[in-house]
Amino acid sequence: MRRPHIRGVAIAIAVTTAATLPAVPAVADAPALAAAAASSPVDAARAAAFAHASATGVSQGDTLEAKDVLTDPDGKQHVRFVRTHQGLPVLGGDLVVHLTKRSTYLGVTRAADHTVKPAAAGQAKLTPAQAEQKAAAAAQGDATEAALVVDARDGGSALAYQVRVTDSKTTEATGSRTVVVDAVTGRIRSNTPDSDEFISPSLAQTLRERGETANPATGTADSALTGSSLLTGISGAASYPRKASGTGTSLFVGKVGLSTTQTARTSFLLKDSTRWGTETRDAKGQYLEAFSRGKKFTDKNNKWGTGKTSSRQSAAVDAQYGVTKTLDFYKKTFGRKGIKNNSTGARAMVHFGTKVGNAFWDSACGCMLYGDGDGDLFKKPLVVLDVTGHELTHGVVDATAALEPTRVDRDGNQFGEPGSLNESLADIFGTGMEFATNNSKDAGDYLVGEKLGLDQKFLRRLDEPSRDKLEGTIDYWSPETYDTEVHAGSGVSSHAFYLLAEGSGRKTIGGVKYNSPTSDGSTVTGIGRAKALAIFYRALTRYMVSTTDFHDARNATLKAATDMYGADSVEYQTVDKAWAGVNVTSANTPSTGR
């Protein structure tokens, strides 16, 4: 899940600078807006944001830098901005400006619901060195250089220092943390890991208390799949590097085809040139957060792995296969070109650390990290298919809405609806990827972690989330949900998605029995998985921001359904019924500020 701090923003469009605009009146003159609209969607959206300052919340001294631009089939445009104020990055200051096909203002989706006016930088009472000391002590690691920011989360506008702390002893696998220190009071405002672990601290503790271990059963190789390695059938002079087709024998999904790179006559690299150079490397048992330091996987005959953990290549086959299938799902289903939608490949490292029973999306590395299991709770590497789909979706969320938990406790457990929504979206799209992959050894279903070997036969499920007794996942929203642990809280929106896709009641899908109840006993007839995925993806990429909670998510999916099918459509009505089925309605929307 996305941690509550900003990271380096990857611009997926041709925008390199964003000049601070002067203060403008609430309604700019028509010639100025027309000129901006004629130049680019980014310029038009930026001008519209300042022209409609009362709605967008921008003010004099703000700078808006485009993070993403999406254009709909009907020509409407959505420009996602990150913000600085008086030159300082604003945490929780993101917004999306919506434009018509003529680049005129349609509306805004914003994280901060207040004007950001922090104390001046000169009013900081702590020095950068003092902030670094406090951050290092809080995270028990080595502090890097402190940078002033504005913390606009939770309705504030506090002047603060942001400090990245490496080799943290308070983080699993000694990863890095980002600490935000109040520049006036010295209070630690947030202290969060930079990596996103699949297994939460609370789940690990529950498994220990139960004396339960996860020992996934490995798959069986499919001898019917042979593949070819390009070592034969080559005529004429060879030119390297070039695309090759190989096979891999994985731990969990049998024998699979792999697109690799041939670098010499008898030398192949586990790198996929057909998917923007997506590559898996070996962390060699080290705690690496730099992909460049990982060891490249090479092979002489383009046949990778043995299906056993004794071969270091076997886990790499699962990782490379899962990553490429996730990329395929996003591209074929939504037209998304890579995790950041910038035609850049994904990266993974297996054999991360020593006895690490987890898998991570690491934003500092920009890659997936897979441990080999701790030998205690988790006996094998966590390279199963839906774990990869789940974690890479956190990368997609990070590149779009950047949903953040509202708080993190001292054990690293995260809380709050935006973080729960992040976990839910990872389960939803990870499930979508599993269905789309259609691998007979790991067929699509609405279960998450069903291959982990847990006693309850799954980790989470979307049809009736409360059947998960390990994390205490909930089915329905209540006011207490706002500060629920994120994996437990994820059940609310995951359940709404299932109701939208498949409907309520009992049914069997792909040999798996489901039973999805509603909070009010109502009956929901699903619109199908494809439409439900399309609505949730559009809502994520156009109408969600870092602070989006479940009621905001309801509004976002209703807007998405309106865009795609119309406000009078069956699809729109079913979105409304699905959220009502988990007790999220317009009538019980919490007041601002809670």
Side-chain angles (χ1 to χ4, degrees):
M1 67 292 303
R2 173 70 150 75
R3 308 297 180 175
H5 63 278
I6 62 170
R7 304 182 178 119
V9 175
I11 305 300
I13 52 175
V15 178
T16 56
T17 60
T20 302
L21 297 186
V24 295
V27 180
D29 59 276
L33 289 177
S39 55
S40 75
V42 172
D43 291 336
R46 188 181 291 116
F50 281 87
H52 297 269
S54 60
T56 62
V58 298
S59 62
Q60 185 174 7
D62 280 356
T63 298
L64 301 179
E65 184 174 350
K67 183 178 179 181
D68 195 13
V69 173
L70 294 173
T71 302
D72 298 339
D74 64 1
K76 284 189 293 191
Q77 301 156 103
H78 310 267
V79 183
R80 187 179 295 275
F81 290 109
V82 292
R83 183 191 314 191
T84 63
H85 184 77
Q86 297 176 348
L88 304 180
V90 179
L91 310 185
D94 51 304
L95 65 156
V96 183
V97 176
H98 311 290
L99 304 173
T100 68
K101 64 180 180 180
R102 297 181 181 275
S103 294
T104 57
Y105 178 77
L106 266 179
V108 66
T109 305
R110 52 189 279 204
D113 58 0
H114 57 281
T115 301
V116 177
K117 291 184 177 180
Q123 294 180 334
K125 294 185 178 180
L126 267 68
T127 66
Q130 290 171 326
E132 291 160 12
Q133 285 182 327
K134 286 183 175 292
Q140 298 180 32
D142 302 320
T144 60
E145 185 176 358
L148 277 172
V149 297
V150 179
D151 190 353
R153 299 169 298 179
D154 297 328
S157 295
L159 188 65
Y161 287 102
Q162 186 179 59
V163 187
R164 184 166 180 256
V165 179
T166 61
D167 297 323
S168 170
K169 294 182 177 62
T170 63
T171 301
E172 183 175 9
T174 63
S176 61
R177 297 178 77 93
T178 295
V179 182
V180 177
V181 183
D182 195 292
V184 177
T185 67
R187 179 174 68 89
I188 302 297
R189 300 184 66 85
S190 60
N191 175 11
T192 56
D194 290 335
S195 60
D196 160 36
E197 68 273 15
F198 185 74
I199 304 300
S200 68
S202 61
L203 173 60
Q205 180 61 31
T206 299
L207 290 171
R208 290 190 186 95
E209 291 172 353
R210 294 186 174 208
E212 183 178 344
T213 61
N215 191 13
T218 53
T220 304
D222 185 352
S223 59
L225 179 60
T226 57
S228 61
S229 67
L230 290 186
L231 280 172
T232 59
I234 299 175
S235 60
S239 176
Y240 307 110
R242 61 179 176 178
K243 180 178 70 173
S245 298
T247 57
T249 306
S250 69
L251 294 175
F252 299 110
V253 290
K255 188 173 285 188
V256 296
L258 295 172
S259 177
T260 61
T261 300
Q262 186 176 12
T263 56
R265 190 178 69 84
T266 59
S267 181
F268 297 85
L269 178 66
L270 195 56
K271 184 176 183 178
D272 189 341
S273 62
T274 69
R275 296 176 177 88
W276 310 293
T278 289
E279 183 178 2
T280 297
R281 292 187 180 182
D282 189 346
K284 303 173 294 184
Q286 300 180 53
Y287 299 100
L288 303 180
E289 284 190 289
F291 184 75
S292 61
R293 295 177 58 195
K295 182 181 179 181
K296 297 179 180 180
F297 278 103
T298 59
D299 193 77
K300 293 181 178 180
N301 62 9
N302 213 10
K303 295 180 180 179
W304 307 81
T306 63
K308 299 179 180 179
T309 56
S310 57
S311 168
R312 298 187 75 80
Q313 290 185 356
S314 298
V317 171
D318 285 277
Q320 183 78 354
Y321 178 76
V323 171
T324 56
K325 290 303 179 182
T326 303
L327 294 177
D328 287 351
F329 164 70
Y330 275 103
K331 184 178 180 182
K332 293 176 181 178
T333 310
F334 309 118
R336 188 174 187 85
K337 298 178 180 179
I339 299 303
K340 295 182 180 180
N341 200 27
N342 61 353
S343 299
T344 299
R347 303 178 298 187
M349 283 197 288
V350 293
H351 309 303
F352 174 77
T354 302
K355 292 188 176 182
V356 175
N358 222 325
F360 312 82
W361 165 255
D362 191 291
S363 62
C365 173
C367 60
M368 281 293 303
L369 303 174
Y370 299 91
D372 283 333
D374 57 6
D376 179 20
L377 296 179
F378 295 90
K379 304 293 187 181
K380 293 185 178 71
L382 269 72
V383 288
V384 296
L385 193 61
D386 60 3
V387 170
T388 295
H390 173 103
E391 290 299 320
L392 282 179
T393 294
H394 282 311
V396 173
V397 174
D398 198 47
T400 53
L403 292 157
E404 301 176 344
T406 54
R407 72 177 179 93
V408 182
D409 69 15
R410 64 179 58 191
D411 295 320
N413 296 299
Q414 302 183 49
F415 300 83
E417 289 186 22
S420 295
L421 181 60
N422 194 337
E423 287 300 324
S424 170
L425 291 168
D427 282 351
I428 288 168
F429 292 115
T431 293
M433 180 276 282
E434 192 179 64
F435 272 108
T437 299
N438 195 29
N439 184 293
S440 61
K441 299 292 190 298
D442 193 356
D445 50 47
Y446 289 101
L447 311 177
V448 178
E450 73 279 4
K451 293 290 185 180
L452 292 179
L454 297 167
D455 288 349
Q456 69 179 19
K457 308 302 182 185
F458 55 86
L459 178 55
R460 290 184 295 277
R461 60 188 299 148
L462 278 63
D463 64 319
E464 190 176 5
S466 61
R467 290 177 65 183
D468 162 32
K469 304 304 180 183
L470 290 172
E471 294 177 306
T473 309
I474 60 177
D475 291 331
Y476 312 120
W477 181 86
S478 71
E480 290 72 30
T481 305
Y482 190 73
D483 197 42
T484 298
E485 193 275 331
V486 295
H487 296 87
S490 70
V492 174
S493 45
S494 291
H495 192 188
F497 172 82
Y498 179 88
L499 289 170
L500 178 62
E502 303 292 349
S504 57
R506 298 179 183 272
K507 54 183 62 65
T508 300
I509 304 169
V512 180
K513 293 182 179 180
Y514 301 98
N515 183 18
S516 190
T518 57
S519 62
D520 56 0
S522 62
T523 298
V524 179
T525 301
I527 61 174
R529 187 170 58 253
K531 286 183 177 180
L533 285 168
I535 289 171
F536 267 70
Y537 179 78
R538 185 180 183 86
L540 166 64
T541 55
R542 272 82 166 170
Y543 299 113
M544 292 185 186
V545 290
S546 60
T547 57
T548 297
D549 61 19
F550 290 135
H551 286 80
D552 295 330
R554 171 185 175 273
N555 293 334
T557 50
L558 286 171
K559 289 177 182 176
T562 300
D563 290 347
M564 300 175 72
Y565 305 106
D568 296 325
S569 65
V570 170
E571 291 81 2
Y572 179 96
Q573 294 169 8
T574 308
V575 169
D576 192 35
K577 291 178 181 178
W579 283 107
V582 298
N583 196 37
V584 176
T585 67
S586 59
N588 63 17
T589 301
S591 60
T592 302
R594 287 186 173 79

